[in-house]
Amino acid sequence: MPHKICVAAPFALASALLLHAEAVRASGALEITGAPTSANGLNARALARGPEAAFFNPALLPYAAATTQAGFFVLVTHGDITLAARPPGVDVPESVYDGQIRNPDGSTSRLTHRPMPGSKLPSPRADTRDRQTNTYATLGFVRPLYEDRLVLGFYALLPLRSFQEQRAFFADERAQYFSNRLEFELLGDRLSVTSLAVSMAGRITRWLSVGAGVDVTIGTSARTAVHVPDASDQRTALINPDVEVESVFAPYFAFATSPAPWLRLSATLHLASASDTDGENRIRFWNTTYPEGESSVPQAYRLTLGHQPTRVSVGASVTGPPSGDRGGERAARSKGPALPAWEIGGHALLTRWSEYRDRHAEAPPDPWSSTVSVGLGGAVVLGSRRLSADVAFTPSPVPDQTGRTNHVDNARLAVAASFETPVSLFGADFGVGAFLHGQLLVPREVSKSPSARNPVFDEVPDNLVDIVSGEPLDGVEGLQTNNPGYPGFSSGGWLAGAGFVLRLPE
């Protein structure tokens, strides 16, 4: 069960959570989309100038103008997973129901792994066509509490279809009992998770600022007591669930330094995070004898959504001279620093994917690799308007899935652009921005190999014999498997989004 943590302020919260780094739980889609309704959102760790800094780099909050903003963003995903044709003779035959294993000493034993006949699978093996439209609201503010010595920031990415979705699946032959398809490991329901970030920052000296914050989400514990009056008719059951939902927190830290007026360097640390569901069913049957010390049949499980490993980033930006206007937020109405006439920056992000846990809280048997994502962006102020553009590349941490597992993931090449301008509405001055976002899932193709570290295994052993006659069963020689990824698959696709934001300078 997630730890309960009570705090009085964000800095105290971050400090306390650092002592419990292995227990924190949080999640969000921000690592995929960046800050979708912010200028240079793909490079917010280096170039954030608004509420998005509250999550990506709180040390940049003292550089941001006091503002409140609300935005809307639509993201369309178009992903394809195409399965290679299966060779003849690999389907599990119906005779598997009549078989048992003949051991070398002549004795027999039951199948421990019980595949279903290919003709009896609940869902046919098929390609995956992932077509989703996700809509989000973004909310945020920056509030100086004491000039630039103490600044409070808040940023939220809120899926509008649901607060959170969790669609578990198995990435190996166990998928045969359920959907019998492959899924994109780092997309899907990870794009439907609420992110709430709050942070505080301040300048220690003219050239150094520090910040810390927490990403807030939920953790769930569910205990269910089940009584089955008639084991032969399990459609009738008495159920008492006990569900507990807690707010849980993932901390992060940052610093930024300006050794020269035109140069800024920064670094961030986000600790590992996830949204966990811990569950336990205790099933009782009428007139049943249980093992000594037990009064029911326990069934424990854990589901994990949106696991993000530890992330460390470094960034740098170079700026030109101050512009005559603040690019959509007029200087006369804001106490923040004037925007530069131009700015260029980039970042590198190290993610320790070797820590990854999938939706069933399992570590991939073929270890994932740590990755370094990179991004480059810039902006230019033209009069009172601001134009910005970004490009970023995220390599895949998933090794070629030549063995038993089918973790589908592609490297992503992302681009984004925005246009911001001031407008007057209802007698007040606002900043309005429009944003475009696109990502290419770099095509990838893999084939299963018998020499893989964890190869696809034979679910119907060749020494399977008829349970009655003891004679060898037909159709069991060679490899039979219901692993939906055998003998291989290819994947690719794209993401495209657009949005807008409305800002009210303080």
Side-chain angles (χ1 to χ4, degrees):
M1 179 186 301
H3 293 285
K4 294 182 178 179
I5 303 173
C6 298
V7 296
F11 273 127
L13 174 62
S15 299
L17 282 169
L18 182 59
L19 301 178
H20 298 273
E22 294 182 356
V24 296
R25 307 284 183 261
S27 57
L30 291 174
E31 296 292 0
I32 300 173
T33 63
T37 58
S38 299
N40 299 118
L42 294 176
N43 283 283
R45 282 182 165 86
L47 295 174
R49 285 192 170 273
E52 70 278 7
F55 174 80
F56 290 99
N57 191 337
L60 301 184
L61 286 172
Y63 297 89
T67 186
T68 299
Q69 72 174 43
F72 177 80
F73 184 69
V74 178
L75 182 69
V76 176
T77 63
H78 190 287
D80 293 327
I81 305 173
T82 302
L83 304 177
R86 288 166 67 87
V90 299
D91 291 335
V92 175
E94 290 193 26
S95 59
V96 70
Y97 285 150
D98 303 320
Q100 59 183 350
I101 296 175
R102 175 172 289 167
N103 300 314
D105 61 2
S107 63
T108 58
S109 57
R110 300 167 60 189
L111 273 172
T112 55
H113 174 76
R114 297 186 176 183
M116 298 182 67
S119 61
K120 303 293 185 182
L121 295 176
S123 300
R125 178 178 182 263
D127 297 338
T128 300
R129 300 292 179 254
D130 185 5
R131 307 289 187 268
Q132 295 187 58
T133 299
N134 298 281
T135 56
Y136 306 90
T138 61
L139 302 172
F141 64 76
V142 177
R143 291 286 184 278
L145 302 181
Y146 179 64
E147 298 177 343
D148 61 358
R149 300 291 181 175
L150 188 61
V151 182
L152 174 67
F154 171 78
Y155 188 71
L157 181 70
L158 308 174
L160 297 181
R161 183 171 61 187
S162 58
F163 184 82
Q164 178 172 298
E165 295 181 9
Q166 186 162 354
R167 297 189 293 272
F169 55 85
F170 288 103
D172 52 30
E173 70 284 338
R174 290 172 292 178
Q176 67 183 284
Y177 308 119
F178 304 97
S179 68
N180 200 29
R181 298 193 181 191
L182 307 188
E183 305 286 348
F184 285 96
E185 185 70 24
L186 299 182
L187 296 175
D189 53 1
R190 293 170 70 94
L191 291 169
S192 300
V193 179
T194 295
S195 290
L196 303 172
V198 60
S199 61
M200 297 184 72
R203 287 184 187 267
I204 296 177
T205 67
R206 179 189 60 79
W207 51 270
L208 177 64
S209 64
V210 297
V214 290
D215 185 15
V216 186
T217 187
I218 61 173
T220 305
S221 296
R223 295 181 178 85
T224 305
V226 182
H227 175 70
V228 181
D230 185 352
S232 65
D233 181 11
Q234 298 189 25
R235 293 175 298 179
T236 301
L238 305 178
I239 301 175
N240 270 340
D242 183 3
V243 180
E244 182 179 357
V245 179
E246 297 180 331
S247 296
V248 288
F249 310 90
Y252 47 89
F253 311 89
F255 78 89
T257 180
S258 297
W262 50 270
L263 175 64
R264 185 172 67 220
L265 308 174
S266 62
T268 67
L269 168 65
H270 286 68
L271 298 182
S273 61
S275 179
D276 286 344
T277 298
D278 292 302
E280 182 179 76
N281 300 328
R282 289 201 167 266
I283 303 177
R284 292 182 56 84
F285 296 93
W286 181 73
N287 193 27
T288 297
T289 301
Y290 303 98
E292 183 177 356
E294 297 286 344
S295 60
S296 59
V297 177
Q299 298 176 333
Y301 62 89
R302 166 171 280 196
L303 301 177
T304 294
L305 174 64
H307 185 268
Q308 288 286 354
T310 304
R311 288 143 287 159
V312 179
S313 78
V314 293
S317 64
V318 177
T319 62
S323 65
D325 190 275
R326 299 198 65 260
E329 298 176 25
R330 298 188 183 280
R333 293 183 176 269
S334 175
K335 298 180 181 180
L339 288 178
W342 57 267
E343 185 174 24
I344 297 175
H347 78 279
L349 174 67
L350 171 66
T351 305
R352 294 188 59 191
W353 285 109
S354 57
E355 305 172 350
Y356 181 70
R357 299 295 181 268
D358 66 17
R359 287 163 177 78
H360 288 276
E362 298 175 350
D366 293 323
W368 289 16
S369 303
S370 296
T371 61
V372 177
S373 306
V374 294
L376 181 66
V380 60
V381 174
L382 303 174
S384 61
R385 296 172 176 83
R386 188 182 191 210
L387 299 174
S388 66
D390 286 307
V391 62
F393 179 74
T394 303
S396 173
V398 180
D400 284 343
Q401 299 292 277
T402 58
R404 177 183 174 186
T405 56
N406 304 301
H407 292 116
V408 184
D409 185 56
N410 298 70
R412 292 181 285 115
L413 178 63
V415 294
S418 68
F419 173 77
E420 298 170 282
T421 185
V423 297
S424 294
L425 296 173
F426 310 110
D429 288 342
F430 291 85
V432 173
F435 304 87
L436 294 176
H437 179 103
Q439 297 193 38
L440 172 68
L441 304 181
V442 179
R444 187 174 189 180
E445 183 175 357
V446 297
S447 297
K448 301 299 181 180
S449 171
S451 61
R453 176 175 177 175
N454 295 285
V456 174
F457 70 92
D458 188 2
E459 297 182 60
V460 186
D462 293 353
N463 58 346
L464 205 65
V465 298
D466 188 275
I467 197 171
V468 176
S469 67
E471 295 297 321
L473 289 178
D474 293 333
V476 301
E477 295 183 357
L479 173 67
Q480 288 82 41
T481 178
N482 282 329
N483 188 313
Y486 182 85
F489 57 89
S490 59
S491 60
W494 49 264
L495 289 73
F500 67 87
V501 72
L502 184 66
R503 297 192 181 94
L504 177 62
E506 297 297 321

